[in-house]
Amino acid sequence: MTFTLRSLAEIILKNCDILDAALEKRGAHVPSLDDPYTPESDVTNNDPQLLATADIACRAALQLVQTIRTPQLTILLDGLSFLTSVSLRCVIELHVTEILREAGPQGMYVDEIAKKCNVDPQKLRTILRCLAGRWIFRETAPDTYTNNRFSSMLDKGKPVAELQSDPMTMYDNPQSTLAATAAHYGDEGLKGAASLFEVMTDPTLAFSGDPKDTGFSKAFNTQKSYWEFMEQPDQKARLYRFGVTMEGLQKLEPPELAVIGYDWGKLRDGAVVVDVGGGVGTVSAQLSEAFPKLHIVVQDRLDTIEDGKKRWKELKRTGQVTFQAHDFLTPNPIKNPDVFLMRYITHDWADDYVKTMLHHLREAAGPNTRLVIMDRIVPYTCSIPKDKEGVQQFTGLVESKYPPPVTIATPSNFAFGAGVMMLLCINGQERTIKQFDEVFASAGWKIDSVVQHEGSGALPSTICAVPI
Ligand SMILES: C[S@@+](CC[C@H](N)C(=O)[O-])C[C@H]1O[C@@H](n2cnc3c(N)ncnc32)[C@H](O)[C@@H]1O
């Protein structure tokens, strides 16, 4: 397809006009990248229509950059993109944002910042300039930095002295979830990623789906899987940070997401719902609050189940919810329930393991049992002809439509990166709807309906399947 650069620029202009008008209507201004973030400064104000408008503008803008810039430079910059992750982890765990918050708006000279972090100023200078070049921190005068829109998001909300004296609790303030997530990416993620190629080409590991045969396990020189490694006493800080990360990702979801994907209200009173791999019962708590007549059984590993019971009591939760230790790679003790629910389970595992767990659920299912999976559905990066891939047969799938010449491929879809992260940490993967269809069918389940959520690709979709 031939097109003019102006056609992309016009798409950007048209959508920016809509965003400008929305800002003006609510008496707000275009946020400055120089100022610290405030929730009111969000251009879209989380309005679904404005989020879609912003999505198109961003896609067109990114595509314009990729089109105009030389491919050589794009590949070089992409090849170096890990340096942003590593630099972010350094400034987060050296508490640079908090040091600059305490320094005030005039900022601080890099040698002073380095002194407070007890690191070499030459090294910190290089890292800060790399980030400031991506609008994370602002260089107000040569080698003098202050916080700006993006660096302020990394603030863990505590005094520097407290952060430095007790590193174990650095992420326990609720506002620190984004910092915890970025530090987790720049630590376990980055180290595991560095060994992915070696694992993919090692003849003994290359075709294994075992959660122990991963880039992460190779990088950390362990025979343990990610979960087992993190449960060791000397990994408490990493495990805690990971927990904060999970909480942060859940906060990106609208609170009602767990209950809107499936018509729970149509189930009979006393219907049995088994939350397989239900963790500490987070989703079950939401379900039982919205539908108190459901009888819910949360199944998970023994330690998690014990934590779940404790948490249920601490939070004084009520509802017909029981906890049961169960390994989902073995036959399920609950026969013929109304629903087997699995949220964020399938993306942790390679196909053979998913097939095993779904097969056990199929064996335990009755003819009317439904399988409800909540996980991300990865879009293709191409448009799909109507008769190809068997994709159009599912109702509820969101069809990505963008004004030409904007393409579907975009670096801003979270699910693409999340898939690689799952792969390198635990041999998991995010799946396309076709991959879900195939793995379901191989275990005796057929997809009946899908509820997909549009947007950044960060939200889980709900897939309902029936026994074949
Ligand atoms: C990503 S968490 C999802 C938890 C929960 N479904 C939620 O959405 O909050 C994955 C869960 O799978 C559990 N898990 C891992 N291996 C398991 C196994 N073999 N049997 C049962 N649960 C397992 C973990 O303990 C963890 O709670």
Side-chain angles (χ1 to χ4, degrees), residues 386-401:
K386 281 268 176 254
D387 55 344
K388 286 274 158 63
E389 301 294 319
V391 165
Q392 268 71 19
Q393 62 177 292
F394 304 115
T395 54
L397 274 183
V398 173
E399 206 183 329
S400 304
K401 278 196 197 135

Side-chain angles (χ1 to χ4, degrees), residues 323-391:
F323 286 84
Q324 181 178 53
H326 168 64
D327 175 354
F328 53 46
L329 297 171
T330 64
N332 202 291
I334 300 188
K335 308 297 176 199
N336 193 21
D338 294 79
V339 175
F340 280 125
L341 166 69
M342 283 181 137
R343 191 180 84 142
Y344 284 142
I345 300 298
T346 52
H347 81 160
D348 285 346
W349 298 86
D351 280 355
D352 283 350
Y353 290 82
V354 176
K355 200 167 148 182
T356 302
M357 58 183 85
L358 295 189
H359 172 76
H360 287 308
L361 298 186
R362 178 65 187 85
E363 292 281 288
N368 296 318
T369 300
R370 295 292 176 261
L371 173 65
V372 176
I373 302 274
M374 292 186 69
D375 241 318
R376 296 185 190 101
I377 298 176
V378 192
Y380 291 93
T381 54
C382 60
S383 52
I384 313 157
K386 281 268 176 254
D387 55 344
K388 286 274 158 63
E389 301 294 319
V391 165

Side-chain angles (χ1 to χ4, degrees), residues 26-166:
R26 65 170 210 268
H29 301 286
V30 176
S32 162
L33 298 186
D34 288 348
D35 298 334
Y37 173 83
T38 60
E40 313 78 60
S41 70
D42 261 335
V43 172
T44 61
N45 208 19
N46 256 329
D47 174 292
Q49 258 184 337
L50 294 182
L51 282 167
T53 303
D55 181 46
I56 294 175
C58 291
R59 283 168 188 273
L62 287 166
Q63 195 172 324
L64 187 62
V65 171
Q66 297 293 64
T67 309
I68 295 176
R69 195 165 59 189
T70 66
Q72 292 86 336
L73 184 57
T74 292
I75 296 293
L76 284 180
L77 291 173
D78 281 352
L80 288 174
S81 59
F82 68 97
L83 296 175
T84 310
S85 306
V86 78
S87 302
L88 270 174
R89 183 188 171 206
C90 289
V91 296
I92 290 166
E93 300 209 328
L94 292 171
H95 319 304
V96 173
T97 292
E98 294 82 356
I99 290 170
L100 292 179
R101 186 226 306 135
E102 289 182 4
Q106 77 278 10
M108 191 178 262
Y109 189 60
V110 72
D111 288 28
E112 286 300 303
I113 309 172
K115 205 161 148 194
K116 286 184 181 283
C117 311
N118 196 23
V119 296
D120 183 339
Q122 299 303 336
K123 294 175 186 168
L124 188 62
R125 175 175 285 128
T126 304
I127 286 169
L128 282 175
R129 184 145 306 111
C130 168
L131 290 173
R134 300 188 66 87
W135 289 292
I136 303 170
F137 298 106
R138 183 162 72 98
E139 193 170 11
T140 52
D143 288 319
T144 300
Y145 289 90
T146 187
N147 279 322
N148 67 353
R149 184 166 178 79
F150 299 113
S151 70
S152 67
M153 301 290 290
L154 306 175
D155 196 329
K156 300 183 282 301
K158 288 186 170 197
V160 175
E162 196 180 323
L163 290 166
Q164 288 176 334
S165 67
D166 191 2

